[in-house]
Amino acid sequence: MKRFLALLACCLTIGFVQAQSRSLPDFADLAEKQGAAVVNISTLQTPRGRSGTSPFPLDESDPAFEFFRRFFPKLPGAAPAPREFENRSLGSGFIIGGDGHILTNAHVIEGADEVIVRLTDKREFKARVIGADKRSDVALIKIEASGLPVVRLGNPDKLRVGEWVVAIGSPFGFDNSVTAGIVSAKGRALPQENYVPFIQTDVAINPGNSGGPLFNLAGEVIGINSQIYSRNGGYMGLSFAIPIDVAMDIQQQLRAGGKVNRGRLGVVIQEVSRELAESLGLSRPQGAIVNAVEADGPAAKAGIEAGDVILRFDGKPINASAELPRLVAATPPGTRSIVQVWRKGKLRDLPVVIGKVADDEPATGKAPRGAKAPALASNRLGLVLSELTAEQRREAAIDAGLLIEEVRAPAARADLQAGDIIVAVISRGTTTEVKTVDQFNRLLATFDKGSAITLLIRRGNLQNFVTIRGGNGH
């Protein structure tokens, strides 16, 4: 009996292992078939130093340098001090055209004097940079070759969270390294990255993988590995890839003109929280609320105002604020589009002519400062307020508002800081401008204790909507 039970347990174990092996994907065929189209990219940079060479084996900053220069002007056997040096960086790329067109990351080839591409058969080519787009981190380069193996492109829209994906690249210079994982999220927005809906994975991506392809199990490229989240520069389980459809749109523009033209609306936007939606009279959190409108920009000319919530752009719904910059950027400058906004409890369709994104980034101003007002007692929100002086109003270019002198609980939990200016209070779609501390406190008294209060805040040249719970009062 014992022998039978042992035999049964052994059979069950073998069956379980076989079942597990059948359920796990096999990446061997994918790596073998697609690996040949993945390349290693190295760059050469030659920063220019000071002209001429020194006959002394000392740096010019050394205190003994002047002594040797004056008394031993021709020191025998002294080696010339180097005035130029070379830097090499490593990255990855993949061939999208048999004629030698290759996609990689813009940061891989940035500042390079020379770009070298090495194929899996050990052939090396000097590549020509067709164009690079820093905002999307996509670059297109070309080598003079023909009959090259190319990747097959997939559709990122069909990608599902939890699906297996594979990366091939050159982490730390180890050519054609294969790593696998799953899709963690789609359409991920990253700080300062408004134009790319990143694919988040847990695939092991390390320095040198940048610019390499991300494959689905069908062997199709669905993204370009671009960024990692890391505290120490190594893999931490969070990797981000540029969807291949976004990258292909970019490379088409780079191939046609060497640069990318993006549409712009001329607004500063913010996510709509649940409390903010309640204050504005929306049925649910959706859209992008406009914090500020650029003077004489496309949005201003179309009649879009601060406080409007953009719900649709050219008929496409805006569920999250991060979706709006991508849609606008993908619209050719000069296009006439329809922007649907929610204003004071009503929907409005506004026609707008899309502008063009400039190459330089807009600067942000500093928070207005003025004479320090005497300390005041805080209100039930925990805010110590004072009325703006004439000088402060001129600096902020506003007619009225209240300066936040100090932030205490419960307001300390919100995104408020000393120096911010309260411009208005918003409730149920109604905006009330504030001019005096007494008026603001009377307005607070109309709110139930503990209810959400939305403030329009001015910080430097930007405006922001902040929602606070009303607290318990005094």
Side-chain angles (χ1 to χ4, degrees):
M1 185 65 180
K2 290 183 179 179
R3 183 178 299 176
F4 172 76
L5 291 176
L7 181 61
L8 179 61
C10 182
C11 291
L12 290 175
T13 301
I14 294 173
F16 177 77
V17 172
Q18 290 176 340
Q20 286 290 96
S21 64
R22 285 195 299 269
S23 64
L24 293 175
D26 185 354
F27 308 115
D29 289 341
L30 187 156
E32 182 179 350
K33 294 177 181 178
Q34 305 301 326
V38 182
V39 303
N40 173 285
I41 297 177
S42 59
T43 63
L44 179 67
Q45 296 172 314
T46 311
R48 303 296 181 224
R50 296 181 296 270
S51 60
T53 59
S54 168
F56 310 114
L58 296 172
D59 188 83
E60 292 180 8
S61 61
D62 194 299
F65 179 88
E66 183 64 16
F67 173 84
F68 276 94
R69 187 190 69 80
R70 293 179 61 185
F71 297 102
F72 301 92
K74 295 183 180 181
L75 186 66
R83 290 302 182 220
E84 295 185 354
F85 57 94
E86 298 178 340
N87 291 333
R88 282 188 175 271
S89 64
L90 291 174
S92 304
F94 53 97
I95 305 170
I96 60 172
D99 60 349
H101 282 92
I102 296 170
L103 276 183
T104 185
N105 284 149
H107 76 261
V108 169
I109 55 94
E110 184 178 9
D113 295 312
E114 192 173 292
V115 178
I116 303 297
V117 172
R118 185 170 69 247
L119 308 184
T120 55
D121 61 9
K122 307 304 179 184
R123 286 186 294 166
E124 290 191 355
F125 297 85
K126 184 181 294 186
R128 175 169 58 94
V129 177
I130 303 297
D133 179 54
K134 290 184 180 180
R135 284 191 169 97
S136 64
D137 199 22
V138 173
L140 179 67
I141 62 177
K142 189 179 186 305
I143 60 176
E144 295 304 320
S146 60
L148 298 173
V150 299
V151 297
R152 292 187 296 118
L153 304 181
N155 184 356
D157 291 337
K158 295 182 179 179
L159 198 63
R160 300 172 62 195
V161 174
E163 184 176 332
W164 282 96
V165 283
V166 176
I168 303 180
S170 304
F172 302 108
F174 295 106
D175 293 3
N176 265 82
S177 295
V178 180
T179 53
I182 64 169
V183 176
S184 303
K186 293 177 60 180
R188 187 68 81 194
L190 299 180
Q192 309 303 320
E193 298 286 354
N194 295 327
Y195 301 122
V196 178
F198 285 97
I199 302 168
Q200 180 185 329
T201 76
D202 69 349
V203 178
I205 300 296
N206 284 289
N209 272 119
S210 294
L214 184 70
F215 294 95
N216 60 20
L217 288 187
E220 300 168 330
V221 175
I222 43 86
I224 303 178
N225 296 311
S226 174
Q227 299 188 36
I228 59 175
Y229 177 85
S230 175
R231 298 183 186 277
N232 56 15
Y235 169 68
M236 298 287 287
L238 291 174
S239 307
F240 299 93
I242 304 162
I244 193 61
D245 55 345
V246 173
M248 291 303 290
D249 288 342
I250 297 298
Q251 71 87 26
Q252 286 180 357
Q253 294 192 54
L254 293 176
R255 191 179 298 202
K259 64 178 183 178
V260 177
N261 292 319
R262 289 186 172 86
R264 67 187 299 271
L265 200 52
V267 294
V268 177
I269 60 173
Q270 176 184 338
E271 187 74 13
V272 178
S273 65
R274 179 175 58 82
E275 293 83 3
L276 189 52
E278 180 183 341
S279 299
L280 296 170
L282 289 168
S283 60
R284 62 181 178 86
Q286 59 180 314
I289 188 168
V290 177
N291 290 343
V293 180
E294 176 189 313
D296 297 324
K301 293 176 181 177
I304 296 175
E305 301 175 358
D308 288 347
V309 179
I310 299 177
L311 297 178
R312 288 180 174 271
F313 179 81
D314 265 346
K316 301 180 181 67
I318 308 298
N319 295 309
S321 61
E323 297 174 1
L324 181 62
R326 300 168 192 163
L327 290 174
V328 175
T331 304
T335 302
R336 183 182 174 87
S337 301
I338 299 297
V339 176
Q340 184 182 82
V341 303
W342 175 263
R343 180 187 298 170
K344 298 179 179 178
K346 295 182 180 180
L347 291 173
R348 301 191 182 193
D349 288 337
L350 303 175
V352 58
V353 178
I354 300 301
K356 180 180 177 181
V357 172
D359 292 333
D360 55 341
E361 295 291 337
T364 56
K366 296 182 179 179
R369 297 183 181 274
K372 188 79 172 181
L376 301 173
S378 65
N379 55 33
R380 77 185 230 194
L381 295 180
L383 297 175
V384 177
L385 304 175
S386 65
E387 294 164 14
L388 295 176
T389 65
E391 179 185 356
Q392 289 170 331
R393 290 197 299 271
R394 284 195 300 271
E395 288 183 6
I398 57 177
D399 295 328
L402 299 179
L403 180 67
I404 298 179
E405 300 280 359
E406 188 178 343
V407 181
R408 305 171 187 169
R413 294 189 293 269
D415 181 23
L416 292 172
Q417 61 187 40
D420 289 346
I421 296 175
I422 300 176
V423 178
V425 177
I426 299 94
S427 175
R428 301 188 183 280
T430 301
T431 301
T432 304
E433 294 183 350
V434 291
K435 299 180 180 179
T436 68
V437 174
D438 287 342
Q439 176 208 5
F440 184 81
N441 289 335
R442 288 197 303 270
L443 195 58
L444 286 187
T446 64
F447 289 84
D448 295 332
K449 294 179 180 179
S451 63
I453 300 171
T454 298
L455 307 177
L456 176 58
I457 299 297
R458 180 73 173 267
R459 181 176 297 169
N461 295 327
L462 301 177
Q463 292 189 149
N464 197 36
F465 291 89
V466 177
T467 302
I468 317 171
R469 288 290 170 184
N472 296 320
H474 294 288

